[in-house]
Amino acid sequence: AEIDGTLIADSSYNYNTDVESGGCFAPEVNKWTTLMTDGTNAALHRPGKEMTLEEGIEILYNDLKDLSSHDYDNIERYWDKLLPTVSYLGTSNAAKVKQALRVAYRAHRSQMRKSGEPFIIHPVEVALLLSGMQMDAETVMAGLLHDTVEDTDLTFEQVEGMFGLEVRNIVEGETKVSKLPKLAFADYADEQAENLRQMFIAMTDDYRIIIVKLADRLHNMRTLRFMKPEKQKKISRETLDIFAPLAHRMGIWQVKSELEDISFMYLYPQEYKKVNSILNERRNKIEDTLEHSVRVLKETLRSDRTLLGQDVEIEVVGRTKEMYSLWHKMEMKHDRNLDHIADLVALRVILTPGDSFVQEQQAADSGVWLCYHVLGLVQHLPNFTPMPTRVKDYISFPKPNGYQSLHTALMYKGQSVEVQIRTAHMHTVAEYGMASHWAYHDEKKRSSSMDLYNTPWLSSIKEWQQEAVGSRDFVDCVRRELLGKRVFVFLRNGKILNLARGTTAVDAAFQIHSEVGLNMHGVEINGKPVPFDYELHNGDVVSILTGEGKPSTKWMRYAKSRSTRSKLRAYFRSQQNESVLKSGEMLFFDYLSNHRNEILESSYIEYPFEVPTTVDELQTFLPGSSRYDDVTDLLNDIGQSQSGDFLRQKVSKIFMVPASALQECDESRFANITRTVYASQLDSISLNGVNEYNSETDISTNVSYSDVLNGGQAEIADSESVCYHCLPVRGDAILGTIHRDGSTLVHRKECSWVQKALNSARLPSRNDSVGEPVKLAWPDDNAWEENASESFLTEVIIMAVDRKLLLADCSVIASKNSEILKTGSSSSNEHCILEFLVRVKDLDELQNLMDKLREVNSVMSVERRFGSELLDESDL
């Protein structure tokens, strides 16, 4: 039988085959399935007599002791391979690893791989890879057990009972990862994408899960030749697209390189052969260059007096560039000339400080200054030409995965030679990346904090998981933003930001801090202003200008990072929530203001009361009168509902007023406002076609009043003395009236009061109560700028098709383009009328406000009211 690519032995299998010849096991009956069916699991879940986990584990241990001498010989043979690599763990931990080997051997005893080898060879090889990285005991044990729960009857509870919670968590996480289907990423199905999503989520709690999976994948890739060609390509594509970038992101260079080269061989066999052929043609020259470079560098370092006086061991090794990396670089540059590949031949200098260094400095920092000293020696190697532009300092500016090293390049007989200089600690991190970090924390710290096994970029996956996004989008985001190409930019303080390639200035601002992004009002790149959608490039120096900035919805288009878009969405959502609450507050209190008399007259409340005008006053009416105990909940529901019936119902219940009485009042008010709007539209049409000085009594006759307007000489209008019957705004055509106290009142020319004054001035017996007409003009622009704080009251009426959040949407527009003082509203079954009393600076600002309101969805018309119906003394 076959389970997930694994051959399970059946009764026809010859169990006497020796382990070394590709067979496996002793001839006795495999007791594992019986043990799982009739032993531990049965003991744990036996109806009527439940057994504890401890009792089940004891039974399991007793049955594990029942292994034959042949089984023990095989276990010892595998242990002989493991023991030298796990000796760094100490005797106690090594004993635990051996026990995990016994359990894994027993669990997989009847299973075979496609290669015909015993399945146990696979977890042993995985454990060898993990111990080669010097991972902790829990990770090595998890490597041995990683397939037991998925492919056998062993349970996670039993793993935990035998080896602890950490081992169980790693095995459980790796089991979820292993359920990833073998897929081709050009067109993956939703189910496959969801499995990928679950894989990434499983990795976020503990990066050791990824390391176990990478070791598992590497050994599987090494034995991929036993799979069918179509599976080889699918698995290789999956490895090249997901697991090799994961290894790179974690800094495990050895694993990354081997995964890439094997995948390259199966995915692009022709290209693989071509690159191999090109290398073979140049092999002699490459080997000669490598051998000579190593010899000269060793001689130079050994003869240096400074290094001779230091307690440091120096190792010089050479290598040629990996096949896939070489092909990828040639493809990217469209250049197949190996002489143009800078790091085809590379030397590595590894400095291992002695005990005296480590005592003086921390292990991670010891020997750093020697790296710079060696760099100086390398730049002056005899017969080599230095290439100053190729010096890179990754010690002062490490890569995001922790990589540190000094890089430089030399030229020797037309062949470029790269030189990397690092300490032993840096080399360990370079080769094993995050897998090496645990070794630099003491065991007490490791056991007390799981934070050591988490990283910021893994945490960002958790943040994305909290958003309701599709599996495909989620997977694409992880591949693009975490596993894709990166761009590195500098802040003014020298800090480096590591961002996905293609990100913009908006992403950089939010990467620094959410508050920086939310208050950004400008961006400078390399000292020059740039737009917010500027795409960042390597080496850019970014300056984010903050202050009175506020995010715009356009930023959602500029943001390329999911994290940035998530923060922007949260901001806009909070703004909308505030807007909804404010909308509910305005609706409720405007309704109370407009229906105050009706409420007082028709309420059945037995004690005297006043209609509330503040939130605190309203709070006292809630307990017992409705289902709301908190006034915020009430106002929020009203703002969300935007329903006149809902609002009327709440007012009726809270103030014990018959709903029918309130409805009659609403219908009457809606009819009055509709007539007002209609009359205002007619007035504006009429005034566009007649002289603006027409009398109220005869608008069809042109009449001149120049003889009564102070000889045609205009006085300067006082913006603080305006007529509240017409509410003029700077920019309106105006006239004035001078009164007995000497004050001059500013009117719109259409105002009935100024028309009466004009008519009265022509009569023999003047009516002094209306004042004497006078020609006025607004101050010029220079004078106006000196009083820029001055503003004018005006009222806007909106007629619209009723819908939810209409008032909230209009309120947002009105508040951005003016200062709202008061609102009013009324509605019928389908339509509603909204009224805003606002302050504006001039007619242009008013016109801009009205234009913006007309763009709101479902708004039919926006008119300026002549005068105001909302204005009262408190607003003056």
Side-chain angles (χ1 to χ4, degrees), residues 531-579:
F532 291 133
D533 62 349
Y534 172 85
E535 184 175 318
L536 299 171
H537 300 90
N538 275 325
D540 279 345
V541 179
V542 181
S543 299
I544 304 298
L545 310 178
T546 59
E548 299 300 323
K550 186 179 294 184
S552 163
T553 52
K554 292 181 181 179
W555 292 11
M556 291 294 290
R557 297 199 305 269
Y558 303 157
K560 304 304 179 183
S561 162
R562 179 172 292 279
S563 175
T564 302
R565 292 196 298 272
S566 174
K567 292 172 182 177
L568 284 171
R569 272 194 295 270
Y571 169 79
F572 291 128
R573 195 178 298 119
S574 68
Q575 292 295 105
Q576 185 183 41
N577 291 340
E578 292 177 11
S579 178

Side-chain angles (χ1 to χ4, degrees), residues 629-646:
D629 293 324
D630 188 347
V631 67
T632 302
D633 295 336
L634 168 65
L635 299 178
N636 190 67
D637 284 355
I638 291 172
Q640 288 280 1
S641 171
Q642 298 283 314
S643 166
D645 291 338
F646 182 82

Side-chain angles (χ1 to χ4, degrees), residues 173-174 176-181 185 192-205 209-210 213 217 238 242-243 246 458 461 474-475 478 483:
E174 209 283 336
K176 293 177 182 177
V177 172
S178 295
K179 292 181 180 179
L180 170 67
F185 280 91
Q192 293 170 323
E194 177 58 25
N195 285 335
L196 265 177
R197 179 190 186 120
Q198 293 302 322
M199 179 194 84
F200 289 126
I201 298 305
M203 299 184 312
T204 58
D205 291 327
I209 295 171
I210 313 175
K213 183 57 190 176
R217 176 52 58 106
E238 172 188 285
I242 292 295
F243 293 103
L246 262 178
L458 285 175
I461 296 180
F474 180 88
V475 172
V478 172
L483 305 183

Side-chain angles (χ1 to χ4, degrees), residues 8 33 43 119 121 202 210 285 361 369 383 386 435 612 660 668 710 734 789 792 795 798 814 847 864 876:
I8 310 299
T33 303
F119 191 92
I121 288 178
I210 313 175
K285 180 180 179 181
Q361 307 173 56
W369 72 270
N383 301 320
S660 58
S668 174
N710 54 317
I734 55 173
S789 61
F792 299 87
E795 195 163 305
I798 304 167
Q847 188 61 53
R864 176 186 179 187
L876 302 180

Side-chain angles (χ1 to χ4, degrees), residues 243-260:
F243 293 103
L246 262 178
H248 175 70
R249 193 72 168 87
M250 299 185 70
I252 311 177
W253 192 261
Q254 283 189 334
V255 174
K256 169 202 177 274
S257 299
E258 191 171 351
L259 288 176
E260 286 180 339

Side-chain angles (χ1 to χ4, degrees), residues 726-740:
C726 62
L727 292 181
V729 170
R730 183 175 188 268
D732 280 329
I734 55 173
L735 288 173
T737 54
I738 301 176
H739 296 269
R740 294 175 181 175

